[in-house]
Amino acid sequence: MPAFSETVVRYDEPLADAPAVTGRRSARAPLVVVIGAVLVAALVVAPLFVVFGQALSAGSAEASRLLFRPRTAELLRNTLLLVALTVPLTVFLGCGAAWLVERTTLPGAGVWRALLLMPLAIPAFVSSYAWTSVLPSVQGLGGAVFITTLAYYPFVFLPVAALLRALDQDHLDSARSLGSSGWDAVRRVVLPQLRPAVAGGSLLVALHLLAEFGVLQMMRYPTFTTSILQQFAVGFSNAAGSLLAAVLALLCLGFLTVEVLFRGKTRIARLGPGTGRRPVAHRLGAWTVPTVAGLAVLVGLAVAVPGAIVVRWLARAVSTSAIDAGPLLAATGSSVGLAVLAGLVTTVAALPGAWLLHRYPSRAAIGLERVTYVSSALPGVVIGLALVTLAVQWARPVYQTAALAVAAYAILFLPRAMVSWRSGLAAAPTELIEASRSLGVSGFGTFVRVVLPLVLPSALTGFVLTFLATVTELTATLLLAPTGTETLATAFWSASDELDYVASAPYAAGMIALSVPLTVLLRRQILDQR
């Protein structure tokens, strides 16, 4: 039996029978679109130049003193150890849960699918706050691995489950008909196709671990991100903070490179819709009860326990009249206001690059699109640190204004809007656009009258994803929020930092309430597609 990888299509192999696509590559992209895409790319990479520029300005002697001290080695060891322990655990839980839900006779699979996504509705630092409020011993490396594994395994579960739902059953049947055993067929047919999903999910987990601040600060587990923010907050040392941020950026680029190498160049795709047959579910039999019990424990630890603790503290706040409605409403209003601005700006900013890549594909367009992913992979604290430096030196009027915070959100969450635009544009028939132009309608008129009605749902998806991510963003907001402005995340952090669990509860509940739609949206957008 040939290996499955021999039957797939490679990126660099043209299809002999595929019709040639004419017109799109030969046409020249509108200048306004090119300028817009370049300006957005320049904004996105600006923090990288600032971080490395500040790091180089420290001088070799100072850089050597800061980088080669025992404290830096300790931070590097802690960070890598956290990634090395958490990523395999999330892969194990995410892949295992996805297989049980999508490929077995698990009772109530639809309910379990929704429950397994629910950790996305609870910010990791809220889960950390809940656990430490009842079990103060949950600290250090063990506590950090425990909390982050429970919070981040959905990043692996989501893509793996989506891929398992889309697999063609005929591939497995063909492998079995050629003499492969059940496990051998899975190893040779299913696992190669899951590799991109596992690699992408693992990369997301690793990047979130590098960027995580709230959980690790509560766990008293120092990493690069916690040290950078402390360096800036306590010492206001741009050089020291930038040196650590530069090391963190190199770690991010290293993880991005590893993910590309692990994923390989093989494109896992089929030509046409496939047979459309539903996959054959494996019977759990005697393993049904232990499997359900195991999933119940996982969901209980990740969702039920922190949710119940938040409700408990919220009930105590209500009973003792400890809820101050004024600050809570102000924080909610600030969070929603900043999130709306960030959603609008990010959605608009992503359009030129997505349009350029869709209508005028080229290496330059691909390069501009990939650039948007680099800085967004950096922690919010690094982006915030860089924008503070830029604002102080070149644009002091915007320092500590909403504009600078919105710029940081746009850099961090631009890929979410970019992916949404691209999926919507891919579903918009090019023939309709060409027909509109042939009838004399201008490019802008064609976009408004033909393209926008078709892609509006995808654009709204990008807006909502950015909105919800902004509501729970903490580190960049701590650095860049306008003076006197509290968001739900920063107000929660201020109260929880003083171990005032009752005062923290209303803000935690507010973030959860605003985050629940994200779970519903992801389920509809990813898991329900076939």
Side-chain angles (χ1 to χ4, degrees), residues 198-213:
V198 174
S202 302
L203 175 64
L204 278 179
V205 174
L207 295 180
H208 273 77
L209 289 172
L210 292 185
E212 183 58 60
F213 170 75

Side-chain angles (χ1 to χ4, degrees), residues 294-310:
L295 291 178
V297 170
L298 176 60
V299 173
L301 293 176
V303 179
V305 172
I309 295 172
V310 169

Side-chain angles (χ1 to χ4, degrees), residues 1-5 99 171-193 282:
M1 173 188 171
F4 180 81
S5 58
W99 180 265
H171 291 160
L172 270 175
D173 293 343
S174 299
R176 297 299 300 273
S177 66
L178 291 173
S180 294
S181 63
W183 165 245
D184 191 47
V186 170
R187 181 180 64 82
R188 305 184 68 175
V189 174
V190 177
L191 293 185
Q193 297 185 75
H282 296 267

Side-chain angles (χ1 to χ4, degrees), residues 11-340:
Y11 282 116
D12 53 353
E13 291 180 350
L15 299 176
D17 298 331
V21 178
T22 60
R24 292 173 59 187
R25 290 178 182 276
S26 57
R28 179 172 298 178
L31 185 59
V32 64
V33 176
V34 175
I35 292 176
V38 171
L39 288 178
V40 171
L43 171 66
V44 171
V45 299
L48 277 178
F49 286 103
V50 172
V51 167
F52 283 99
Q54 288 284 343
L56 292 174
S57 69
S60 58
E62 180 67 7
S64 298
R65 185 186 68 81
L66 291 171
L67 292 179
F68 296 105
R69 57 180 176 168
R71 176 62 172 172
T72 305
E74 179 190 2
L75 296 175
L76 181 61
R77 183 180 64 250
N78 287 353
T79 303
L80 293 179
L81 194 57
L82 178 66
V83 173
L85 292 175
T86 303
V87 170
L89 288 173
T90 56
V91 169
F92 174 75
L93 291 177
C95 293
W99 180 265
L100 291 173
V101 169
E102 303 297 340
R103 287 289 179 143
T104 69
T105 57
L106 179 72
V111 175
W112 285 114
R113 188 179 298 120
L115 292 175
L116 288 166
L117 287 174
M118 285 306 292
L120 294 177
I122 303 178
F125 54 87
V126 172
S127 181
S128 176
Y129 140 85
W131 277 101
T132 54
S133 67
V134 295
L135 287 176
S137 60
V138 180
Q139 287 195 353
L141 175 61
V145 172
F146 176 70
I147 296 295
T148 53
T149 298
L150 294 177
Y152 294 154
Y153 80 81
F155 289 124
V156 180
F157 171 78
L158 269 171
V160 173
L163 237 174
L164 284 174
R165 289 171 65 82
L167 286 183
D168 198 328
Q169 178 64 29
D170 272 8
H171 291 160
L172 270 175
D173 293 343
S174 299
R176 297 299 300 273
S177 66
L178 291 173
S180 294
S181 63
W183 165 245
D184 191 47
V186 170
R187 181 180 64 82
R188 305 184 68 175
V189 174
V190 177
L191 293 185
Q193 297 185 75
L194 292 183
R195 193 167 67 172
V198 174
S202 302
L203 175 64
L204 278 179
V205 174
L207 295 180
H208 273 77
L209 289 172
L210 292 185
E212 183 58 60
F213 170 75
V215 172
L216 305 179
Q217 185 71 10
M218 286 188 179
M219 294 291 108
R220 304 290 190 267
Y221 186 71
T223 62
F224 271 108
T225 302
T226 60
S227 183
I228 290 169
L229 198 60
Q230 290 169 354
Q231 194 78 43
F232 183 79
V234 177
F236 208 82
S237 173
N238 276 344
S242 296
L243 278 169
L244 294 178
V247 176
L248 196 57
L250 292 176
L251 281 178
C252 289
L253 293 176
F255 286 141
L256 288 170
T257 304
V258 170
E259 190 269 343
V260 170
L261 294 176
F262 179 76
R263 185 180 54 192
K265 295 183 178 179
T266 300
R267 178 183 179 184
I268 307 298
R270 64 173 179 235
L271 302 179
T275 62
R277 291 178 53 202
R278 295 183 64 84
V280 177
H282 296 267
R283 296 183 63 82
L284 288 175
W287 286 97
T288 300
V289 174
T291 300
V292 170
L295 291 178
V297 170
L298 176 60
V299 173
L301 293 176
V303 179
V305 172
I309 295 172
V310 169
V311 171
R312 170 194 169 194
W313 287 116
L314 182 63
R316 183 171 298 183
V318 172
S319 63
T320 58
S321 301
I323 299 179
D324 194 342
L328 178 60
L329 291 175
T332 304
S334 299
S335 296
V336 173
L338 287 173
V340 168

Side-chain angles (χ1 to χ4, degrees), residues 31 56 62 70 78 137 304 327 340 346 372 391 431 455 468 486 492 500 514:
L31 185 59
L56 292 174
E62 180 67 7
N78 287 353
S137 60
V340 168
T346 306
T372 62
E431 291 78 5
V455 302
L468 294 173
E486 289 274 15
F492 165 82
D500 191 345
L514 289 176

